[in-house]
Amino acid sequence: MGSNKIGMENEIEELSSDLEKERKRLEEKAQELKQREELVKDIEKEEVTLKVAGVDGGISRKNLQGIEIVITRACLVEMGYKNGKLKEHSYFPSPNPEPTLHYYEPERETKKPQLHRMEKEMQTALNYLEKEPKINMLLLDGSIVPNPSDKPKEDSKEKEKYLEVKDKYEKLFEKTTKQGIQLIGAIEDSRSRKISRKIGVKSLDNLLLHHALEKRQRTSEFNYSDEPGNHPVLSDFSNKNRNKVKAMYIKPSEEDTPLRLEYLEDHMSPDEIASHVESISKIAENYSYPVPLIEADLHAKITDKQKDLIVQQIRNRAGETPALREKRRNQRPFK
Amino acid sequence: MTLGKIIATEETPTPTKVHFVTDKDLVDKDQYIKFNSPQGKVIGRIEDLHKTNRYFDSPESITQIEKTGMKVTDKFPTEEWEHTVGEVKALGIYRENKIERPTKPPAPGTEVKEPEEEVLRNFLGLEEQGKGLEIGELQHHGITSELSLTDLFQKHLAVLAQTGAGKTYTVSVLMEELLERQPEEGRLASLVIDVHGEYKSLAKSEEYKNKVKVVDGKDFRIPVNSLSASDFKKFIPGMRKPQERELSSAIEKLRYRDKPYGIEDIIKIISKDDEIHEEVQRVLPRWLERIDGNLFSKTGSSVEKLMSPGQLTVLDLSDLIESKKRGMITSYIAERLFSARRKEEVPPFVLFVEEAHNFAKEGVEKEENIPKSIIETIAREGRKFGASICLVSQRPMKLSTTALSQCNTQLIMRITNPNDLDHITKTSEGIDEKSRDSITTLRVGEALLLGEAVNHPVFLNIRERRTEEAELGEGLEEQARKYEEETEKKNQDAEAFM
């Protein structure tokens, strides 16, 4: 009997079938990984008693006819845990941090706006460390080094900004090391394929590892880069620092994909890091992420309303100027 | 004191409605606030409060999180995200002791503040301290609520509440205030139709014993010579015109003799008069005998003498079981008082009618509910003559709509019966949906006052009584225990006798 399905229905069926095949393929590969004791380790169950800080930044952009506005802010949340329960918390610099404004003329429109967010996050963390806080871990939302995609081209005018940001990362490495604080980055949705490539599987690491790891298991630790000296970003870091960046995946929740952690090989062992982060990340069986970073995100986020308010303030001060007019595509009379 | 800031929502601020954000537990529902609008100082009442918290806005997430065996509050700093939003009804613009209608909205971001005591007092129409009847405190503000005698009583008052909500207590407070008044302040005479004997205790207090007189309903007699045939007709609804005519003629004859006479004298005249139709001679004396039952006498009790300025008469009807007899007494007293007041033979008065729904029943013909007619008349016309009525009821739905709607001030305490609430809402202009909801949640001793006595509905905490409450009857346990003990004793005595 011929199929009567037309257009998108066929495509949906095809996609569903492909995804099912892919899942089975990954499950088979994962079985192989599971057998390799050197790759899969158990995480010790722990109800933590420690102090941890998490920092996150928010960014919002507004493209007007004659100017591009980039607004950033960052918030750090310090949380004190006792036997796995949150007992105290505070914010730095405040629960509602002041945003910073950056602007570009049309011809100099930024290609790397995230550099501003990263700079704000780093500066907030550095300012906080000036107070020499008594914390055990400092968590970053994302990697503990800039993403290669955030690195401008050699001849770019933004290269200077990138190097400034990179320096702040290195300063953070030094300060946390000096103050006995373990620096860890938690990557919310990692795109890394490093492990998959190594075993010859075409997949994102966290999808493959979802089948390989059980709840409260982790991968063994591995180098962020096998050739740090040739890595587009790590090569910009000092020799000492570039070799200390490690990574691993942990699985705190049954139904959620593993969480990639990147950390500085420093004060805590991989087992300790996995156990501590697991303890403050297992939020539900279908979701895991470090709580201090969730809270920091809520305070750092810049809503559309806040963005509009800032733009309106600029308009109020500058008066009627065409540069501040909305782009024509955004002010069509008919929606 | 700053309480919060007005926020912009999709629908507010408007000239009459605003939302504001405030610290967690700084304000209460029904509290008054003030803010500035382009027209001036606006006074508003918080009609509702709600809290928001983004950590708790997804039921699915909460369930998932708590499945791990830990509470959401163990993991997240949830209190940081708790905000209280108040919904305010703008009541009016207060300007130089005048109240105007708000027609322009305030700006979002405007500060919401606590109004000054004097402003609030003037705005709500409360008397200055020491100048009115002190019945309690304005809820959430601690301001003593004193009300003008005229505003509270001239256009009549209704005290409505379900059983146990504090009606009698509140009415006793009102009576205490009336008894406290000095001649120069203007004093009313008061009389209460006390169905359950709950007000007798006022006469026992050292402070008021000389101002309170208790009259036992059993001893009250209606003087026959004060009644006309049409008065009798009220007590004998079945009486027809020819019978009324003959009765009138008999009364005429007795009055002509100029001597006190009783019902038996009327019967004698009717029975002996050969000119009266046989049927009338048979029926009329029987009716008169039936209503008598020791309620009528030749001289009777003087209602006028019971009424003195600054004095209270408690007419205790608790021992009268027959509701018709209670009705006849109430009707007679109300008639006499109203008539005497019209001729200025008694001082201006307030007549308190407890269980008013039994004396002025809705949906029942006047003939079957003897006092209904005069209660409605006083409610309609009493204002012009200084004759006030205070209707007290736990079943407003069964209370005459005519009488209730003429009570321009209402003191409402806890009521949960939806039919009673509907009836109150229909008969009172001042109750909106939010106030109606609040009535169901009032605690004992809390009341909503609205109408003539105040410019806007206010929630009050009724003040403490200065006199002792009447002793309540024994509890059911005690009564049951006593019954069994007595029965046992009787049985033992019977056995011993045998």
Side-chain angles (χ1 to χ4, degrees), chain A residues 37-216:
Chain A
E37 281 179 16
E38 80 280 9
L39 269 180
V40 177
K41 295 176 188 291
D42 288 337
I43 300 173
E44 195 184 332
K45 189 177 178 184
E46 188 189 11
E47 302 295 0
V48 287
T49 296
L50 48 75
K51 274 197 171 182
V52 51
V55 65
D56 191 18
I59 183 166
S60 188
R61 299 169 74 178
K62 183 82 179 174
N63 259 311
L64 299 166
Q65 287 203 14
I67 196 165
E68 186 198 7
I69 293 165
V70 178
I71 304 156
T72 60
R73 69 171 177 176
C75 182
L76 181 143
V77 184
E78 187 187 296
M79 290 181 166
Y81 288 88
K82 193 172 180 191
N83 300 325
K85 289 185 180 175
L86 179 64
K87 290 293 171 195
E88 55 183 347
H89 67 279
S90 58
Y91 301 92
F92 182 86
S94 77
N96 187 18
E98 188 80 9
T100 305
L101 198 69
H102 312 272
Y103 56 93
Y104 299 88
E105 287 159 5
E107 64 273 14
R108 292 190 64 234
E109 194 174 286
T110 177
K111 301 283 187 294
K112 303 290 177 194
Q114 295 297 336
L115 285 174
H116 291 296
R117 176 188 57 78
M118 289 151 68
E119 185 185 31
K120 192 78 183 168
E121 281 176 11
M122 287 305 110
Q123 196 55 56
T124 301
L126 288 168
N127 292 347
Y128 168 72
L129 292 176
E130 287 294 319
K131 300 193 309 169
E132 303 203 345
K134 301 283 172 242
I135 58 167
N136 307 88
M137 302 193 296
L138 175 61
L139 298 175
L140 302 185
D141 180 56
S143 180
I144 59 167
V145 293
N147 196 301
S149 63
D150 292 321
K151 184 175 175 179
K153 288 179 183 161
E154 283 304 313
D155 57 349
S156 165
K157 286 177 181 165
E158 288 171 315
K159 184 70 190 292
E160 198 181 325
K161 174 59 71 183
Y162 161 75
L163 290 173
E164 276 174 30
V165 173
K166 191 268 310 174
D167 284 347
K168 287 188 180 356
Y169 273 92
E170 290 210 87
K171 263 190 195 155
L172 192 66
F173 285 12
E174 283 156 26
K175 284 211 169 203
T176 49
T177 299
K178 196 176 164 193
Q179 292 182 25
I181 298 165
Q182 179 61 51
L183 182 66
I184 303 164
I187 292 90
E188 207 164 11
D189 294 298
S190 169
R191 309 296 297 166
S192 174
R193 293 168 183 267
K194 188 174 177 180
I195 294 177
S196 306
R197 270 198 209 111
K198 272 198 172 168
I199 60 165
V201 180
K202 205 176 155 198
S203 167
L204 291 174
D205 284 352
N206 59 353
L207 297 186
L208 171 68
L209 292 169
H210 182 58
H211 301 288
L213 297 178
E214 300 289 333
K215 181 182 169 184
R216 213 175 299 121

Side-chain angles (χ1 to χ4, degrees), chain B residues 365-481:
Chain B
E365 291 302 314
K366 285 173 187 167
E367 290 74 28
E368 292 169 38
N369 191 208
I370 301 165
K372 183 177 178 180
S373 175
I374 182 62
I375 287 174
E376 288 184 348
T377 304
I378 296 177
R380 266 196 317 267
E381 299 169 23
R383 181 176 65 88
K384 291 175 272 183
F385 306 104
S388 301
I389 199 157
C390 172
L391 302 177
V392 186
S393 174
Q394 70 259 28
R395 291 311 313 272
M397 200 187 80
K398 292 188 173 174
L399 181 57
S400 152
T401 313
T402 309
L404 184 56
S405 61
Q406 292 297 320
C407 291
N408 283 18
T409 298
Q410 299 190 341
L411 196 52
I412 302 168
M413 308 179 84
R414 184 179 164 86
I415 290 177
T416 50
N417 183 312
N419 296 326
D420 285 327
L421 282 169
D422 283 347
H423 191 67
I424 293 174
T425 312
K426 277 179 202 157
T427 50
S428 173
E429 291 166 14
I431 299 182
D432 54 20
E433 208 177 312
K434 300 277 182 185
S435 306
R436 186 186 187 278
D437 292 345
S438 294
I439 294 170
T440 60
T441 58
L442 291 173
R443 289 168 300 172
V444 175
E446 293 180 336
L448 170 66
L449 177 69
L450 63 150
E452 193 72 17
V454 279
N455 295 333
H456 291 279
V458 293
F459 286 91
L460 303 172
N461 291 325
I462 301 297
R463 73 156 169 78
E464 276 190 29
R465 273 180 72 161
R466 297 186 186 114
T467 48
E468 294 279 315
E469 277 185 77
E471 273 179 31
L472 292 171
E474 285 171 342
L476 215 46
E477 295 91 342
E478 186 65 11
Q479 289 180 48
R481 196 180 57 75

Side-chain angles (χ1 to χ4, degrees), chain B residues 229 239-253 266 269-270 273 275-277 280-281 284:
Chain B
M239 196 190 290
R240 294 197 189 129
K241 272 282 165 202
Q243 292 154 345
E244 189 182 342
R245 208 166 37 238
E246 297 303 348
L247 177 61
S248 180
S249 161
I251 290 170
E252 279 289 302
K253 284 175 189 163
I266 300 175
I269 288 200
I270 293 168
D273 193 339
E275 285 177 25
I276 296 176
H277 192 277
V280 176
Q281 260 183 337
L284 200 50

Side-chain angles (χ1 to χ4, degrees), chain A residues 86 89 91 282-283 295, chain B residues 55 70 74-75 79-81:
Chain A
L86 179 64
H89 67 279
Y91 301 92
K282 50 176 185 191
I283 289 165
E295 180 66 11
Chain B
Y55 274 121
M70 279 178 97
D74 288 338
K75 298 186 181 187
E79 70 275 19
E80 291 291 335
W81 295 95

Side-chain angles (χ1 to χ4, degrees), chain A residues 1-19:
Chain A
M1 213 164 80
S3 169
N4 288 329
K5 294 186 179 80
I6 49 159
M8 201 171 66
E9 275 188 60
N10 272 333
E11 287 162 16
I12 290 171
E13 194 170 291
E14 209 173 297
L15 175 64
S16 308
S17 164
D18 287 351
L19 286 170

Side-chain angles (χ1 to χ4, degrees), chain B residues 52-112:
Chain B
T52 64
N53 192 324
R54 63 199 307 168
Y55 274 121
F56 291 101
D57 64 8
S58 162
E60 201 181 302
S61 301
I62 296 163
T63 311
Q64 288 291 342
I65 290 167
E66 302 221 336
K67 267 185 190 167
T68 63
M70 279 178 97
K71 292 175 187 166
V72 178
T73 47
D74 288 338
K75 298 186 181 187
F76 297 97
T78 51
E79 70 275 19
E80 291 291 335
W81 295 95
E82 187 173 302
H83 300 290
T84 303
V85 176
E87 185 184 321
V88 171
K89 182 180 181 181
L91 300 173
I93 299 151
Y94 180 77
R95 191 183 296 139
E96 290 160 10
N97 290 333
K98 269 196 258 170
I99 298 168
E100 289 170 22
R101 195 166 60 90
T103 54
K104 292 186 193 337
T110 302
E111 283 193 336
V112 171

